[in-house]
Amino acid sequence: MSDDEIILSELSDDELVLQMHDDLYDGLREEIEEGVNILITRGWTPYDALTKALVAGMTIVGADFRDGILFVPEVLLAANAMKGGMAILKPLLIATGAPRMGKMVIGTVKGDIHDIGKNLVGMMMEGAGFEVRDLGINNSVDAYLAALEADQPDILGMSALLTTTMPYMKVVIDTLKEKGMREDYIVLVGGAPLNEEFGRAIGADAYCRDAAVAVETAKTLMARKHNQVSAA
């Protein structure tokens, strides 16, 4: 019964943040929205609310998903709660010019209409502070190129769940090479039938076996990219 009696507005900042981590874990969207609003009215910056309450909470979700403690339905609920908080923070973050982790364009490749894994990656990436544009399913080379042109992302993510559509990832990467654009993007690939060997063979930067790994890989490769730029 005691859970029902928690009044978020009566918690201290530290207690509220910990409670929000719990509420995210439990996929409670309304509580997350309320918590975000309370932090903002208490003078928290949108960036601090994002990183300390939401991103830190989703990091716990991601770790437990990776370790097999949480499963896809629970993670989708947590991600949905995160989205509720993000909807409030996004316009405030834009207005304050807060730093972002980076930008990602993601989509399922041509001929493939599977999107649960891709959606999960997109949500988890947003949860980690990335800006994500989801192109949906059945994307041709031209659709990817148009999005890369328009959004200038750091990362291109491609997903496939059919062995017959996997080779299309190579078509996209080869086209980027032909156009001299391959070095401009970190290319991550994923999907049930893929493996590391395939990722290497088609020239991707990394194969990510699930959404939690995708977030960790993206962070690592982004840090490496920033170091190379600053070294240059």
Side-chain angles (χ1 to χ4, degrees):
M1 273 304 290
S2 62
D3 277 0
D4 300 338
E5 292 157 22
I6 292 172
I7 298 169
L8 296 180
S9 58
E10 291 180 0
L11 299 176
S12 71
D13 285 13
D14 288 348
E15 289 169 337
L16 178 57
V17 167
L18 290 174
Q19 183 59 43
M20 288 174 73
H21 293 174
D22 286 349
D23 290 345
L24 252 186
Y25 199 90
D26 296 334
L28 305 176
R29 183 170 176 141
E30 284 178 17
E31 283 82 348
I32 290 299
E33 290 167 350
E34 186 187 343
V36 167
N37 281 322
I38 292 168
L39 290 175
I40 295 299
T41 55
R42 288 183 185 177
W44 278 52
T45 66
Y47 186 68
D48 277 350
L50 170 70
T51 51
K52 292 176 183 170
L54 299 186
V55 173
M58 282 303 280
T59 303
I60 301 164
V61 171
D64 280 4
F65 175 55
R66 183 194 61 218
D67 296 340
I69 298 163
L70 285 179
F71 299 95
V72 168
E74 291 126 321
V75 176
L76 287 172
L77 275 174
N80 183 51
M82 167 92 192
K83 277 209 146 129
M86 280 299 292
I88 298 164
L89 289 175
K90 214 169 224 174
L92 302 173
L93 287 164
I94 292 165
T96 54
R100 303 286 290 166
M101 285 293 298
K103 214 175 193 184
M104 179 186 210
V105 163
I106 188 169
T108 305
V109 296
K110 189 176 176 182
D112 208 316
I113 57 167
H114 295 89
D115 67 355
I116 290 176
K118 169 189 65 63
N119 293 350
L120 200 52
V121 170
M123 286 174 173
M124 294 283 283
M125 290 290 285
E126 281 195 330
F130 284 85
E131 196 179 321
V132 178
R133 179 174 173 204
D134 188 341
L135 303 179
I137 55 173
N138 196 22
N139 286 286
S140 65
V141 171
D142 290 342
Y144 285 116
L145 288 176
L148 293 176
E149 188 88 7
D151 289 86
Q152 300 292 312
D154 305 288
I155 302 169
L156 169 63
M158 290 188 285
S159 168
L161 207 75
L162 303 172
T163 50
T164 50
T165 58
M166 283 165 54
Y168 198 77
M169 292 177 167
K170 187 174 188 310
V171 175
V172 176
I173 292 172
D174 286 349
T175 305
L176 290 177
K177 285 179 183 166
E178 282 162 23
K179 293 183 174 294
M181 298 162 62
R182 174 63 190 87
E183 298 308 311
D184 299 342
Y185 309 102
I186 294 166
V187 179
L188 304 181
V189 295
L194 280 67
N195 56 33
E196 279 185 33
E197 204 179 331
F198 176 79
R200 272 197 302 272
I202 63 169
D205 287 293
Y207 151 77
C208 306
R209 73 169 184 275
D210 62 35
V213 172
V215 169
E216 287 170 18
T217 306
K219 284 180 174 174
T220 304
L221 292 176
M222 283 295 293
R224 201 176 294 165
K225 186 176 176 180
H226 285 314
N227 290 340
Q228 283 169 350
V229 169
S230 52

